[in-house]
Amino acid sequence: QVQLVESGGGLVQAGGSLRLSCAASGRTFGWYAVGWFRQAPGKEREYVAAISRSGGTTYYVDSVKGRFTISRHNAKNTVYLQMNSLNPEDTAVYYCAAAQRLDSTTYVPTHNEYIYWGQGTQVTVSS
């Protein structure tokens, strides 16, 4: 089992940047692929980015490609989401989630395979 805590959210002007962090407890963080999701008011949760256990495979939804970068530091039990060129449509609560995959270090889970979730961090982008 793993516990996840997000941080780094806040208020930023359009065009600005934020870096979100997802810190995990436990000694087996390297067994988990990690994803970032977001949910804006009145909208469905969106699968934004993900990274495999090894960090060698990543996924991005089209709307963030070229602007967001996901990375991980397994020794620090942390996954990051660097968000650049933010716009008001990026405003949402951002959640990280983890999926255990012992059979592959390169697999990126689908949106419905995640088991463990953090509490979320608010990102607000003003125009």
Side-chain angles (χ1 to χ4, degrees):
Q1 192 169 0
V2 63
Q3 285 80 45
L4 305 172
V5 178
E6 302 95 336
S7 62
L11 174 64
V12 64
Q13 289 187 333
S17 299
L18 285 174
R19 188 177 79 158
L20 305 184
S21 297
C22 174
S25 64
R27 295 174 293 177
T28 59
F29 180 63
W31 292 0
Y32 296 86
V34 176
W36 284 95
F37 293 75
R38 65 187 180 186
Q39 188 163 22
K43 295 187 177 181
E44 294 187 354
R45 187 171 62 193
E46 181 179 38
Y47 188 24
V48 175
I51 190 165
S52 63
R53 288 174 53 196
S54 68
T57 308
T58 57
Y59 159 82
Y60 298 96
V61 69
D62 285 347
S63 61
V64 309
K65 285 180 180 177
R67 300 189 299 122
F68 290 12
T69 303
I70 190 170
S71 61
R72 67 187 297 160
H73 195 309
N74 284 346
K76 294 185 177 180
N77 281 13
T78 304
V79 168
Y80 305 98
L81 186 66
Q82 178 67 44
M83 306 187 297
N84 298 329
S85 301
L86 286 162
N87 58 63
E89 291 71 38
D90 296 315
T91 295
V93 178
Y94 283 71
Y95 301 89
C96 67
Q100 189 180 80
R101 290 300 302 236
L102 298 180
D103 59 335
S104 172
T105 60
T106 59
Y107 179 76
V108 172
T110 59
H111 70 281
N112 58 355
E113 292 186 84
Y114 290 89
I115 304 284
Y116 305 103
W117 293 81
Q119 294 300 306
T121 186
Q122 176 70 47
V123 171
T124 303
V125 185
S126 63
S127 57

